Amino acid sequence: MHVFLSHNHRDKSIAVQLAAQLRLVGADVWLDDWEIRPGDSIPDKVSAALDVVDTVIVLWSENAARSRWVEAELATALDRRLADGGLRVIPVVLDDTPLPALLRPLKRLAVNDDAGVIDVARAIAGIDSDTAFLQAVQSTIDEAGLEIEYFQGYGPLVACPSCGAPASELEGWEAVNEERDDLYAGARCQRCGWEGGGEL
């Protein structure tokens, strides 16, 4: 699945979360922040991406309804869908803003109290069970060749969350609070000094 994520910049945090979840299960996701570099022509990059993807996800909200970029991306996607029928367009509703007329007949998803970003990503990818989700994530990890280390008190890490140093440059630590007799553990980066963890 090759996905284009159309959204307004005010909905960026949800867009990034959704893109990350889709990548985690093996989707090839085009997100502007990840694909457009300083000096690139934004219209050229967006147009090129919309020509090759097989799925366009439109994060629909009050912000999106007022966005000329979302309007242009949606018009391009719908034109391609009508021309060749091969493009899947998926509205993901973020609030109560009415969908444009041409999106209303399409099955939509919603990020709300009942369904979070992970649920929406799983539905888009066609993953209907926890087992299938875990298998998809494991496949992505295997294909990426990631070195994963588990640190008691923190959990799994592939890199330092602060500087990006690989897991081989992280070390575990333990400490005891003598006064309360509590044991703490976690991970520390040898490169930048980042440290994280918690009570065991």
Side-chain angles (χ1 to χ4, degrees):
M1 181 182 341
H2 193 169
V3 175
F4 181 95
L5 202 52
S6 177
H7 64 286
N8 178 266
H9 67 93
R10 290 180 185 91
D11 300 322
K12 180 69 73 183
S13 65
I14 293 175
V16 170
Q17 291 174 52
L18 182 56
Q21 287 297 324
L22 287 167
R23 275 195 172 176
L24 189 59
V25 296
D28 181 7
V29 181
W30 194 97
L31 182 68
D32 56 356
D33 281 4
W34 296 348
E35 304 295 336
I36 300 174
R37 304 286 177 247
D40 286 349
S41 165
I42 296 170
D44 288 351
K45 286 288 203 172
V46 169
S47 180
L50 285 168
D51 281 344
V52 298
V53 297
D54 55 42
T55 304
V56 173
I57 298 169
V58 181
L59 294 185
W60 192 253
S61 66
E62 183 179 343
N63 299 322
R66 291 191 304 233
S67 169
R68 295 185 136 212
W69 274 105
V70 173
E71 179 183 1
E73 291 165 355
L74 181 55
T76 302
L78 290 172
D79 181 62
R80 187 171 150 217
R81 178 182 166 87
L82 292 170
D84 67 24
L87 183 68
R88 198 170 140 201
V89 178
I90 304 171
V92 175
V93 177
L94 304 182
D95 60 25
D96 293 334
T97 304
L99 284 169
L102 290 174
L103 288 183
R104 288 182 203 143
L106 303 177
K107 181 175 179 180
R108 70 198 73 153
L109 298 167
V111 174
N112 54 36
D113 293 337
D114 295 327
V117 172
I118 294 172
D119 300 316
V120 168
R122 286 173 65 158
I124 290 167
I127 296 172
D128 56 4
S129 71
D130 291 341
T131 300
F133 174 74
L134 293 174
Q135 289 173 320
V137 170
Q138 186 61 52
S139 177
T140 300
I141 291 168
D142 291 345
E143 288 173 20
L146 297 174
E147 175 189 349
I148 300 173
E149 293 287 334
Y150 182 84
F151 293 93
Q152 194 171 11
Y154 187 88
L157 285 165
V158 296
C160 171
S162 178
C163 73
S168 60
E169 293 186 34
L170 305 176
E171 61 184 3
W173 59 265
E174 286 187 0
V176 176
N177 180 329
E178 301 289 343
E179 192 174 292
R180 294 179 46 196
D181 197 32
D182 291 333
L183 178 62
Y184 297 86
R188 177 182 302 116
C189 180
Q190 297 174 28
R191 185 184 296 177
C192 74
W194 167 88
E195 191 172 283
E199 185 178 353
L200 298 180

